[in-house]
Amino acid sequence: MSQKLNVRNITENEYFYGHKACGGCGESLALRLALKVLGDEAYLSLPAGCMAAVSFIYPNMAFKNNAIITPFASTAAVTTGVEAGLRALGKKKPLAVGFAGDGGTADIGIQALSGAIDRGEKFIYICTDNEAYMNTGIQKSGLTPFGAATTTTPAGREIRGNINFKKNMFEIVAAHGITYAATASIGYLDDMINKIQKAKDADGPSYIHIYAPCPTGWGCGSEISVDLGKQVVDNGLWYLAEYENGEFKVNRNPDTFEPVAPYLKRQGRFKHLEESDITMIESIRDQKWEYIRNNWV
Amino acid sequence: MNDKFLNGNEAVAYGVLLAKPHVVAAYPITPQTKAVEKISQFVQDGDLDCEYMHVESEHSAMACSIGASSVGARTFTATSSQGLLYMLECLPYASGARLPIVMMNANRAIATPWNIYGDQMDIMYALNSGWVQLFVEDAQEALDVTLQAFKLAEHKDVLAPVVVNLDGFVLTHTYEKVSIPASSEVDAFLPPIAKYDHIMSDEHPMSMCISAGNHQNQGFKQLQHEALFNAEGVFETIEREFSTQFGRAYGGAVDSYRMDDAEIAMLTTGSVTGTARVVVDELRREGIKAGLIKLRMVRPFPTKRLLEVVADLKGLVVFDKNVSFGYEGTIFTNVNSALMQSGKMLKVENVIGGLGGRDIPHHEIKSAYMNLIDKKNSKQVRFSDEEVTA
Amino acid sequence: MKNFKMSPKPVLKSLNDYPMGSSMPSFHITEGNAGWRVYRPVINHEKCVSCYRCYYVCPDGAIHKEEDNSFHVDYDFCKGCGVCAHECKLKAIDMVKEA
């Protein structure tokens, strides 16, 4: 068992610098810290999305690592192609890592991700989830939560925001019998970086789903992205869990949740919500946690 | 060297075996399947030491190939028809990144109506993808060109992906005697893939498939365009080397048959060439000065070479196994453009045939030639069955 | 990042100046992000206890530690998002309006 990682013992080197992400971008924080755990040796694949758009703009290259932008649907396919290529060329234990957002993972990239996990070779896939297509201007994705207003699910007169529920990527991935999967949040960074270390050590495919607030798309101050990442775990709308050796485990199981309203009210995307919507959001949360407590604890 | 009785698919598989790729990523589709089945057999039997990636789609077949090639692996894939269209998005990625991937395409009809048989509609969708496009006529040529394709793609002055086109069923499933070169001889012809500076490596971390804004993007494209032109000359050099070593030659980008004193000719791509050859011989016996032009490379388009071959012609008919709906056959469009560049006003006609695996009978080819002389059919662009009904 | 040096901007006068394919050497950073800032974080070293929090949460990696354990902002790359100040438990970072 390796030593637990924390901010003091991870490297001071930066591997992601000078990028053009918006101020307070949760995704870029997740990537920056993930790379401190993964190090120089990681070969990165990123689809056309925010993180690619902010870091590969000729002539400004923000990644220190080898990195490639993939076709949108192909993060996991290119990642495993890199892995297979390096292995075939004789490299011992190549470290190929895919980074994609929620749309790139849960919508257009889910087929390639499923196929790649199914092949069973080692690779790491990190989904930074900011709950909509932010790079194209805040359109609904399969991971947009109930109630959220996006530019394609606006708070209209008839329909107030998104009326679908967030797709459950963590359990979809786990259902493949993946070697290691986990959820994380930029509000709980020690938890997050240790899960990335576990993925690095895993002897097979691994998947980390990181909750990564987007101030631009969520309509909030850039300074509160990390705070929102903590609040969403404390109020139970997001959970920290792992899937390992065929079993689920929940990392934080609070006796009581913080109320959801203060979290929702800080974000422009939820400002149209009425009392009944908030009650609905709480009931979705409570059902999920009943399931988690009955099955994972 | 030994001889085997192989179909076109298997001939390509033997080419791949001899080329020793590091990675093969492929998804099955009729009529390409026998090629990837045979390659899998080589891998499972331990005859070919490579990573065989069982991908879940053609899109991922090309994406995995891009990943593998972007770290320097020699990479092969194969597809057909709808599969090619499904991976189409990834083709310019590979060529823009200058990745020397080699692909076999079993030319097949495009839906709808659904049809699994051969025509060349599929690859025409990829004409602007930045890939070198080669067409072969028989199984021996399929094997030989597969070997040449790796050398061509990996050449420092080319560095472009290459697709080798085989007509579905007519070529992929027809058995012929094929001479298989000795592995040691192939090794001498096709050395291991070089290390390139523009791809990812531990020594020099690279950022690939970057974005370039409106001020620079066109420059990147222009550079790629100019490099692709190099493929024609390099292909001819490679073929000469191949010929010296293995004793077989195919005529480079544009092969010609009985063209020396020809007054009329047909231009073909792929397996229909065989039928046309027979027709040319027959016409010659009847005293008609007929010739045949076999276009082996469609991108880059060998304009100069083609103009040399047609210099003394009076009439040319282009046989297209594809149609660009609402216009004409695509090869015809390309040939016409080349002729315009020369200022030569040659009488050209276009016959579209063989779609969805429709038989291309001898008499249709013959009447296509004859129409250049007797002008029975006044339509410049027509389908092959109109040849006989006119 | 400590002592970070920017790379020169390439000059494209002819096609020969373009890089091969669509590839560039990694970590080729030609310009900063200082112009994005409306407020600048100023670390009050009297109050700061070097808890690492600001360095940890900076999405841009623009805060680094010196040998004397003090933390400093790379103002070439800080975008002024304010996460560091918001997360600082001792309120040791002030967001000061840029002149």
Side-chain angles (χ1 to χ4, degrees), chain A residues 43 58 66-67 74 87 91, chain B residues 51 59 201-202 206 208 211:
Chain A
Y43 281 64
Y58 180 82
N66 282 295
S74 302
R87 196 153 33 82
K91 189 174 166 74
Chain B
E51 292 294 327
H59 197 280
S201 71
D202 290 349
M206 294 296 283
M208 292 189 68
S211 64

Side-chain angles (χ1 to χ4, degrees), chain B residues 83-135:
Chain B
L84 180 78
L85 265 58
Y86 192 34
M87 68 164 64
L88 195 61
E89 181 210 0
C90 300
L91 298 185
Y93 251 83
S95 63
R98 307 291 298 276
L99 298 174
I101 298 164
V102 172
M103 172 161 72
M104 179 198 103
N105 183 52
N107 296 113
R108 172 186 140 178
I110 294 297
T112 64
W114 278 97
N115 178 303
I116 59 166
Y117 298 103
D119 68 34
Q120 295 170 356
M121 293 285 279
D122 55 5
I123 197 63
M124 294 303 146
Y125 287 83
L127 214 56
N128 297 338
S129 64
W131 283 55
V132 175
Q133 312 253 350
L134 301 174
F135 289 77

